[in-house]
Amino acid sequence: MSRMLDQLKSIDDKNQLDTPKRVEQERRLQAEELAEQAHFHKAAVEQIQDEQLNLRAAERAEQERLQEAALKEAHHRAQRTEERAAQLTEELRLEALARERTQLELVEQEELAASIEAERQLSAQIEARIEQEKLEHEQAAKRAVHEEELRLAAAEREEQERRLQTEEHATQARLHEAAIKDARHRAAEETRRAEEYVAKLAEEVRLASLAHERAQLEQAEQEALAVRIEAERQLSAQIEARIKQEKLESEQAAKRAAHEEELRLAAAERAEQERRLQTEEQATQARLHDAAIKEAHHRAAEETRRAEEYAAQFAEEVRLAALAHERAQLEQAEQEALASRIEAEHQLSAQIEARIEQEKLERELTTKRAAQNEELRQGKRVTFIGPSFTDTVRPYFGFLALVLLVIGAGFFMATGSRFFGNKSGALPVQPSGNTASIGVAVAPPVPMKQATVDQADLAIRQQQRAQAEIRRMVMQWVEAWSRRDAAAYLSFYAADFNLPEGMQRVDWEAQRQSRLRKYRSIEVTLKNLKISYPGGDTANVRFTQDFQADSYTENGTQKELRLKNIQGSWFIVSEKNSPD
């Protein structure tokens, strides 16, 4: 036994074999050692039986004491062998766990480096965008020198918007980091579950091996006890027969020897069969252990792939949000230019109204002077009655000035709309105070091509937003299914869900809940996700589904969902397997 233990130590020190091979080799050596011990034990028992047959009753007690000592020694040796085997198994398990943990740490470090690089690129893009916006604002300031005060106000608003944009990007970065931490936490949780499952499997294998070895030892002890009882019975019969008939002692001894030889051969055959069965069982346990390790690696790889898909989806959402934010900034700039134009028109309207008031006062003064002149003419008895040509035309000067001002305002609004890049048509000028309202209408032609492009862009953005919401809803449905959350899983189905024929809603929900409770773990993976959204409140989703629950596996199922938007949220109204 010491020689075999030395061989095990030398093999462990020299060759770093894979865990399943080393476990298989150690178990094979352990089985051979146990068989050798059983053989030695059986030889000792046979020797004791021979001595019991040849010695007298007084020497039989000493032989029994020696036999018990040998049994205790064999039992102690078996216990030491079991302890050494358990220690070696624990060391191998710790080495495998350390190797797997090192691999997982390397994968996490690579993922962290990739996320840091992506965040650095996003920060560089944000800084470049800020620099570009700064240059655009400076160029706009150079072009609009005559509107210094308005430009300063616009610059302050742009500074506020830039701060808001920076804060929004920081918030998106924090959300991105939170999503990465969540994915990393899920990967760590799956890894921990896999490690617990492997440890549990190794513990079950060890307990099964110990139970099998204990059963073998108890069976060997029972066989030895039965042999001992049989030998004592035979010895008593021999003593009685020897007293009765000394002549038949040699014949009876020969018969007993033949019978014991048959028993020894039968016991050897049983030991050989038990050794073969033990070897096959250990090989089966090793194969199961290898399959469990491969399954844990597969699950870790699948979880890593899902985390990468989620990160890509999140990056796409961030890109769409950035595009929407840029679009909102452009629209806000257009609104500011429109407000500036309205303010200029308002000032022009005030000037026109002031000019009208002035002309009204001038007409009143002219009327008074005409009345005075009329009185003077009547006092001097002038025969020409009526105003002169100048007095007649003078009241129309105000109207002509007003017409000229309106024409100049129209020309200014036309050129101003082209200068500010505004696309609006007629703009009503709001009155100030209690003055009269003047509507200045400047209607440059709106290009139909630009309007069509804007509508197409709006439709594309709406479709992308709807597809992102549908994708998010489907992934949340799969996550609720995988974690066996019945309430969250059933909440994704609409009230008018297309139930199987002849089944009520209550029965269908009870059936789904029982299926979720039937398994200890469920893992659902979607591939080739295709979303068809023509617009409106309906959409179709097609994908390939891989389903694994405990020992049951179903891969490559083609499935189609029909969704409906109800009060701003998407729900499943139909679920069926697709033939494609």
Side-chain angles (χ1 to χ4, degrees):
M1 183 178 67
S2 63
R3 180 175 60 81
M4 290 184 180
L5 291 175
D6 293 336
Q7 288 178 359
L8 285 174
K9 289 180 180 179
S10 63
I11 290 170
D12 190 15
D13 293 335
K14 292 180 180 179
N15 299 323
Q16 295 294 331
L17 298 176
D18 294 336
T19 302
K21 293 181 180 180
R22 293 177 62 185
V23 171
E24 179 65 23
Q25 186 177 4
E26 290 176 359
R27 288 176 180 172
R28 188 170 60 254
L29 293 174
Q30 185 179 3
E32 293 177 357
E33 183 180 358
L34 291 175
E36 186 177 355
Q37 289 178 0
H39 180 71
F40 290 157
H41 179 65
K42 193 176 294 183
V45 171
E46 290 176 359
Q47 184 178 0
I48 291 171
Q49 289 177 356
D50 292 337
E51 290 177 356
Q52 285 177 351
L53 292 175
N54 294 326
L55 295 176
R56 296 178 181 180
E59 295 176 351
R60 189 168 60 251
E62 182 67 21
Q63 290 176 357
E64 290 177 356
R65 186 180 62 80
L66 292 174
Q67 184 180 4
E68 290 176 357
L71 289 173
K72 288 180 180 180
E73 181 66 23
H75 185 66
H76 289 314
R77 288 180 182 178
Q79 286 182 350
R80 287 195 297 271
T81 303
E82 290 175 0
E83 291 175 356
R84 178 60 180 168
Q87 183 179 3
L88 290 174
T89 305
E90 185 67 20
E91 290 176 357
L92 291 173
R93 188 179 66 82
L94 291 175
E95 284 183 52
L97 291 176
R99 191 179 298 110
E100 292 178 357
R101 186 174 294 277
T102 303
Q103 293 177 356
L104 291 175
E105 288 177 355
L106 290 174
V107 172
E108 289 179 356
Q109 290 177 0
E110 291 176 356
E111 292 178 353
L112 181 60
S115 64
I116 291 171
E117 181 65 21
E119 290 174 358
R120 186 182 64 78
Q121 292 178 0
L122 182 60
S123 300
Q125 292 177 1
I126 292 170
E127 291 175 357
R129 180 61 183 172
I130 291 171
E131 291 296 330
Q132 184 178 359
E133 290 178 355
K134 189 183 295 182
L135 291 175
E136 290 176 357
H137 290 313
E138 290 176 357
Q139 292 175 2
K142 290 179 182 179
R143 287 193 304 268
V145 176
H146 62 281
E147 296 179 353
E148 184 65 29
E149 295 179 356
L150 296 175
R151 189 168 60 251
L152 290 175
E156 290 177 357
R157 286 194 297 271
E158 288 170 356
E159 182 66 25
Q160 291 178 358
E161 289 174 0
R162 188 163 57 252
R163 286 198 299 269
L164 290 175
Q165 183 182 5
T166 305
E167 292 175 358
E168 185 176 357
H169 284 301
T171 303
Q172 291 177 358
R174 287 195 297 272
L175 291 174
H176 182 61
E177 291 176 357
I180 292 173
K181 288 181 181 178
D182 189 15
R184 193 175 300 154
H185 175 70
R186 289 182 182 177
E189 186 67 21
E190 288 295 329
T191 305
R192 184 181 63 79
R193 290 179 183 175
E195 291 175 355
E196 290 178 357
Y197 181 77
V198 172
K200 183 177 180 181
L201 182 60
E203 184 67 19
E204 290 177 355
V205 170
R206 188 178 67 82
L207 291 175
S209 177
L210 290 175
H212 187 69
E213 292 174 359
R214 177 65 62 84
Q216 287 181 347
L217 290 175
E218 289 178 356
Q219 186 176 1
E221 290 177 358
Q222 290 177 0
E223 289 177 357
L225 182 60
V227 171
R228 177 179 173 184
I229 293 171
E230 182 67 20
E232 289 178 356
R233 187 180 63 78
Q234 290 177 0
L235 184 59
S236 298
Q238 287 176 3
I239 292 172
E240 291 175 357
R242 205 175 278 157
I243 293 171
K244 292 178 181 180
Q245 189 177 2
E246 291 291 337
K247 293 181 180 180
L248 298 176
E249 185 177 0
S250 59
E251 295 178 357
Q252 291 177 357
K255 290 179 180 180
R256 283 195 300 273
H259 183 66
E260 288 173 358
E261 182 66 20
E262 292 175 357
L263 291 175
R264 187 180 65 80
L265 292 174
E269 290 177 358
R270 285 196 301 272
E272 182 65 23
Q273 291 178 357
E274 289 175 356
R275 187 181 65 80
R276 285 198 302 270
L277 291 175
Q278 184 180 6
T279 303
E280 292 175 357
E281 184 178 0
Q282 290 175 353
T284 303
Q285 290 175 356
R287 286 194 299 271
L288 292 175
H289 183 65
D290 292 339
I293 292 173
K294 290 180 180 178
E295 182 65 22
H297 284 303
H298 175 69
R299 288 186 178 180
E302 188 65 24
E303 189 64 27
T304 303
R305 185 186 63 77
R306 291 174 63 184
E308 290 175 354
E309 290 179 355
Y310 182 77
Q313 180 183 358
F314 184 79
E316 182 66 18
E317 292 177 355
V318 168
R319 186 181 67 81
L320 293 175
L323 291 175
H325 185 69
E326 291 176 0
R327 184 71 178 181
Q329 284 182 345
L330 292 175
E331 291 176 355
Q332 188 173 4
E334 291 177 358
Q335 291 176 0
E336 288 175 358
L338 180 59
S340 300
R341 176 180 170 182
I342 292 171
E343 182 66 23
E345 291 175 355
H346 182 70
Q347 293 177 0
L348 180 60
S349 176
Q351 292 176 1
I352 294 171
E353 289 169 357
R355 182 63 179 171
I356 291 171
E357 291 293 332
Q358 186 178 358
E359 292 295 332
K360 188 185 295 184
L361 291 174
E362 288 179 358
R363 282 197 300 272
E364 291 176 356
L365 291 173
T366 304
T367 304
K368 289 180 181 180
R369 284 195 298 269
Q372 291 176 0
N373 292 329
E374 183 66 26
E375 291 175 357
L376 291 174
R377 280 193 297 273
Q378 288 178 0
K380 293 180 180 180
R381 297 181 180 178
V382 178
T383 58
F384 179 74
I385 299 173
S388 64
F389 177 75
T390 305
D391 294 333
T392 304
V393 177
R394 186 177 296 170
Y396 297 99
F397 284 165
F399 180 73
L400 292 173
L402 179 61
V403 171
L404 292 174
L405 285 173
V406 170
I407 294 172
F411 179 75
F412 174 76
M413 297 307 294
T415 56
S417 63
R418 288 195 298 271
F419 177 75
F420 288 108
N422 193 8
K423 298 175 184 178
S424 61
L427 294 174
V429 179
Q430 300 295 332
S432 62
N434 297 322
T435 59
S437 175
I438 298 176
V440 180
V442 179
V446 179
M448 296 300 294
K449 183 177 181 180
Q450 183 65 30
T452 305
V453 170
D454 292 342
Q455 292 178 359
D457 189 13
L458 180 61
I460 289 172
R461 287 194 286 112
Q462 290 178 354
Q463 187 175 12
Q464 290 177 351
R465 190 182 302 111
Q467 288 181 355
E469 292 176 356
I470 292 170
R471 183 183 296 274
R472 190 182 303 110
M473 172 265 173
V474 172
M475 297 308 294
Q476 291 174 356
W477 170 65
V478 171
E479 289 178 359
W481 190 1
S482 298
R483 66 173 182 268
R484 301 188 302 123
D485 190 350
Y489 172 74
L490 294 174
S491 66
F492 289 98
Y493 290 88
D496 56 348
F497 176 72
N498 189 11
L499 298 172
E501 185 176 359
M503 182 175 288
Q504 300 294 329
R505 177 79 180 201
V506 178
D507 298 335
W508 176 76
E509 289 183 354
Q511 184 187 42
R512 289 296 177 97
Q513 290 176 357
S514 65
R515 288 180 181 177
L516 292 176
R517 289 193 298 266
K518 183 173 69 173
Y519 301 106
R520 292 182 297 177
S521 63
I522 295 176
E523 182 178 359
V524 182
T525 305
L526 303 186
K527 300 177 182 177
N528 301 326
L529 185 64
K530 297 179 181 179
I531 300 174
S532 176
Y533 176 66
D537 58 351
T538 59
N540 290 334
V541 180
R542 299 166 66 92
F543 52 83
T544 303
Q545 174 182 299
D546 292 344
F547 179 82
Q548 183 174 0
D550 296 344
S551 60
Y552 176 75
T553 302
E554 183 179 357
N555 296 328
T557 303
Q558 302 292 329
K559 186 170 285 189
E560 180 178 359
L561 301 179
R562 189 165 61 88
L563 307 181
K564 184 178 182 181
N565 193 328
I566 303 174
Q567 295 181 355
S569 300
W570 291 94
F571 294 92
I572 302 173
V573 296
S574 175
E575 179 181 2
K576 64 180 181 179
N577 292 336
S578 177
D580 295 337

